[in-house]
Amino acid sequence: MKLSANEEYGLRCLVRIGYAGEGGSLTIPEMSQAEGVSPAYAAKILRVLRRGGFVKAARGKDGGYTLARPAEAIVIGDVMDVLGGRIFESSFCDSHAGQAPICTRSVDCSVRSLWRAVQVAVDQVLSKATLRDLLQNEEEMNTWVRTIPGAKGLHFIQ
Amino acid sequence: MKLSANEEYGLRCLVRIGYAGEGGSLTIPEMSQAEGVSPAYAAKILRVLRRGGFVKAARGKDGGYTLARPAEAIVIGDVMDVLGGRIFESSFCDSHAGQAPICTRSVDCSVRSLWRAVQVAVDQVLSKATLRDLLQNEEEMNTWVRTIPGAKGLHFIQ
DNA sequence: GCTAATCTGTACTTTATAGTCAAGATTACT
DNA sequence: AGTAATCTTGACTATAAAGTACAGATTAGC
Ligand code: FES
Ligand code: FES
C-alpha cells in the first residue's frame, strides 16, 4: 500500500502542466529537468497521462503537453486510477482464495470488508480533489483538505 | 497504491491464528493448506508477523503459531505498517525532488499535502480496527465499519 | 538417544515494476 | 524540400517484490 513511482511522478507532472495554464504547454525536456528524471522516463510517464485522457500532446516544433480539459474538470481520483490502479480489487479474493473458511468462497469475509472501508476512505479524499485544488500552495491546500466532509480527523495537518 | 501480497496474505494469516483462540495454535502446513500457498511462502509471511511481535511461535513437535497478545490489543494499522509500510513516506519527497518549483525543496507542495490527507484517511480506519473486530463475519464487520467516526460516507457499503 | 514434527534462516528463481535506448513520425520555420 | 524540435513506440536492462528450496535448529514422546 505504497505510492508507486508512476503515481508520484505522474501527479507531479500533471500539476506542472496545469501550472502552465490555458495556452501554455510543457515539453518533455522541460519536464525532465523540472522533475529531475531522464527525458525518456518523463516521456513514459506523460504517455500514461495522455492515454488516460488528462493531457493532450502537440507534436513537432513548438510542441508540448497541455491539459485536455480545464483543471477543475480533472478529478484526482480518476488520475490515480490510471496511474496506479485501486487499492483493493475484488478479483484478488477470487483468484487467491484458500481452502479453509474465511476467504474460501469469497463470501462472509471480514477482511474484505475492511479493505473496502479503506478504499472508500481513500476515494472520499481523492474523488473530491480536482487538479484545480492542487494548483495552489501547500497552505491553501491544507485549508482545502479540512473542508472534505467526513474527514474531520485531518485537523492535525498543519 | 495497491495492496501488496504481503499485506493481503499477512492479514489473512493473522486472522486465522486469531480464530484459533487463546490456547489454540496453527502450524505452517495448516496455514499453507488454508490459504492455498506453499508451505515455504506461508513460513515467510509468518516470519514477518512474528518479527513484528504479533504472533509467537512454538518450535518442535506440537509447535505452531499463536497470538502474542489478546486480539483486542492488536491494532490493524500497526500490522499493516509492518507488512507493507506507509502509503506516503516523506523521504520520497526529499530523495526525488526535482529542479523547478513545486517539490523542489520539499516546501510548499500541494501534492504532498494531498498524500498526507490520504494517509490520514487510511489511518483513521486502520487505527480504529483491532484484530478482535476482524474475528467476526462480514456482516458484523460492515456494521462495525459504519461506527468509525469521520467515515460517514461509508454508508454505501452493504 | 532417536525420531518425527515443527519452526528458522539464507540463498535462490521468477515475475513485476522502474527506468533506458534507439528508430520513427509529426510539425513549424525557412 | 530541408532542418531542427518535438512527440511515439516497442524493445531493452536494472531493480524490487513475490515465491521457492534446502540445510539447520528445536522440542515432545518414546
Ligand atoms: S475474500 Fe478477499 S480477503 Fe477474504
Ligand atoms: S514535495 Fe513530495 S510531492 Fe511535492
Side-chain angles (χ1 to χ4, degrees):
Chain A
M1 222 158 69
K2 289 178 183 166
L3 284 171
S4 67
N6 245 356
E7 290 168 319
E8 272 274 357
Y9 286 122
L11 189 52
R12 283 191 197 176
C13 289
L14 189 60
V15 168
R16 283 189 196 279
I17 295 171
Y19 264 124
E22 278 293 316
S25 73
L26 269 176
T27 68
I28 286 175
E30 284 167 344
M31 186 65 79
S32 161
Q33 217 223 341
E35 283 301 336
V37 299
S38 73
Y41 190 32
K44 191 172 186 177
I45 294 165
L46 286 166
R47 177 154 63 137
V48 177
L49 289 174
R50 175 171 51 83
R51 296 214 280 202
F54 304 112
V55 303
K56 56 188 174 188
R59 283 180 165 197
K61 203 164 180 340
D62 302 338
Y65 290 90
T66 180
L67 291 186
R69 303 171 250 157
E72 54 270 25
I74 297 181
V75 177
I76 303 302
D78 298 338
V79 178
M80 295 300 289
D81 285 351
V82 168
L83 289 174
R86 314 276 294 168
I87 289 181
F88 173 66
E89 321 251 7
S90 61
S91 58
F92 188 97
C93 298
D94 298 331
S95 57
H96 293 75
Q99 308 299 116
I102 303 183
C103 297
T104 317
R105 296 177 199 78
S106 289
V107 291
D108 196 40
C109 173
S110 58
V111 175
R112 181 178 46 179
S113 179
L114 182 67
W115 293 153
R116 277 203 300 247
V118 170
Q119 180 70 69
V120 168
V122 170
D123 287 345
Q124 275 196 317
V125 175
L126 294 184
S127 70
K128 292 194 178 62
T130 70
L131 182 55
R132 173 69 62 207
D133 299 315
L134 289 176
L135 299 183
Q136 49 190 7
N137 68 29
E138 184 164 6
E139 190 180 0
E140 289 169 326
M141 184 63 191
N142 280 335
T143 303
W144 175 88
V145 160
R146 295 197 198 89
T147 69
I148 301 175
K152 303 295 184 345
L154 303 176
H155 54 66
F156 54 83
I157 288 184
Q158 297 292 335
Chain B
M1 222 159 65
K2 289 177 183 167
L3 283 170
S4 68
N6 247 354
E7 290 168 319
E8 272 275 357
Y9 285 121
L11 189 51
R12 285 190 196 177
C13 290
L14 189 60
V15 168
R16 285 189 195 278
I17 295 171
Y19 265 125
E22 277 294 315
S25 73
L26 268 175
T27 68
I28 286 174
E30 285 168 345
M31 186 65 81
S32 162
Q33 217 221 343
E35 283 300 337
V37 300
S38 74
Y41 190 34
K44 189 173 185 177
I45 294 164
L46 286 165
R47 178 154 65 129
V48 177
L49 289 175
R50 174 172 50 86
R51 297 215 281 200
F54 306 112
V55 303
K56 55 188 172 188
R59 283 180 164 197
K61 206 166 179 340
D62 303 337
Y65 291 89
T66 181
L67 292 186
R69 301 172 250 156
E72 55 269 23
I74 297 180
V75 178
I76 304 302
D78 297 339
V79 178
M80 295 300 288
D81 284 350
V82 168
L83 290 173
R86 315 277 294 168
I87 289 180
F88 174 67
E89 321 250 8
S90 61
S91 57
F92 188 98
C93 297
D94 297 332
S95 56
H96 293 75
Q99 308 299 116
I102 302 182
C103 298
T104 318
R105 295 179 198 77
S106 292
V107 292
D108 197 39
C109 172
S110 59
V111 175
R112 182 177 48 176
S113 178
L114 181 67
W115 293 152
R116 277 202 301 247
V118 170
Q119 180 69 67
V120 168
V122 170
D123 287 346
Q124 276 197 315
V125 175
L126 294 184
S127 69
K128 292 193 178 62
T130 69
L131 181 56
R132 172 70 61 208
D133 299 315
L134 289 175
L135 299 182
Q136 48 190 9
N137 67 30
E138 183 164 6
E139 189 181 359
E140 289 169 325
M141 183 66 192
N142 280 334
T143 303
W144 176 88
V145 160
R146 293 195 200 89
T147 69
I148 301 175
K152 304 293 181 353
L154 303 176
H155 52 65
F156 55 83
I157 287 184
Q158 298 290 333

